[in-house]
Amino acid sequence: MTQLRAIAHGRTGDKGNTSNISVIARDAADYPRLVAALTADRVKAHFGPLVQGAVVRYELPQLGALNFVLEGALAGGVTRSLALDAHGKCLSSLLLEIDLE
């Protein structure tokens, strides 16, 4: 089994209580594998109770990337959260731990 990080890298951003995670294939040939493996439901399940709202996936085939918008993922957002990572910058690393078959 291979971890997602072997074929992709990630970037994370935030806006209020919403996290935005991009997963970018290291090689364009792996993009279809990302599309097949990373559904919005799988991403939501991977984060479990950390994500309180919906997860929406956007496909960016021209970039070989997927973008996930995670609502209610930042414990209220930067100005309200007491979390050490209030911006959620570590969330892309957590997502890259998903095992691929």
Side-chain angles (χ1 to χ4, degrees):
M1 202 166 303
T2 303
Q3 276 195 334
L4 177 58
R5 73 177 66 253
I7 66 164
H9 62 97
R11 298 283 297 172
T12 307
D14 68 285
K15 192 62 153 180
N17 196 25
T18 301
S19 180
N20 182 323
I21 304 173
S22 293
V23 177
I24 305 108
R26 296 182 189 279
D27 183 325
D30 288 321
Y31 176 69
R33 191 172 178 194
L34 295 181
V35 171
L38 297 177
T39 64
D41 288 338
R42 184 166 185 201
V43 169
K44 183 169 176 67
H46 181 71
F47 286 110
L50 189 66
V51 176
Q52 298 296 309
V55 173
V56 179
R57 179 178 90 168
Y58 296 94
E59 297 180 11
L60 300 145
Q62 68 279 20
L63 299 177
L66 297 173
N67 186 50
F68 295 93
V69 176
L70 290 69
E71 298 288 339
L74 299 175
V78 174
T79 60
R80 298 173 126 193
S81 175
L82 297 176
L84 292 176
D85 182 17
H87 291 278
K89 296 299 183 184
C90 69
L91 294 179
S92 62
S93 289
L94 181 58
L95 183 58
L96 294 175
E97 292 180 1
I98 284 182
D99 287 323
L100 303 174
E101 297 175 18

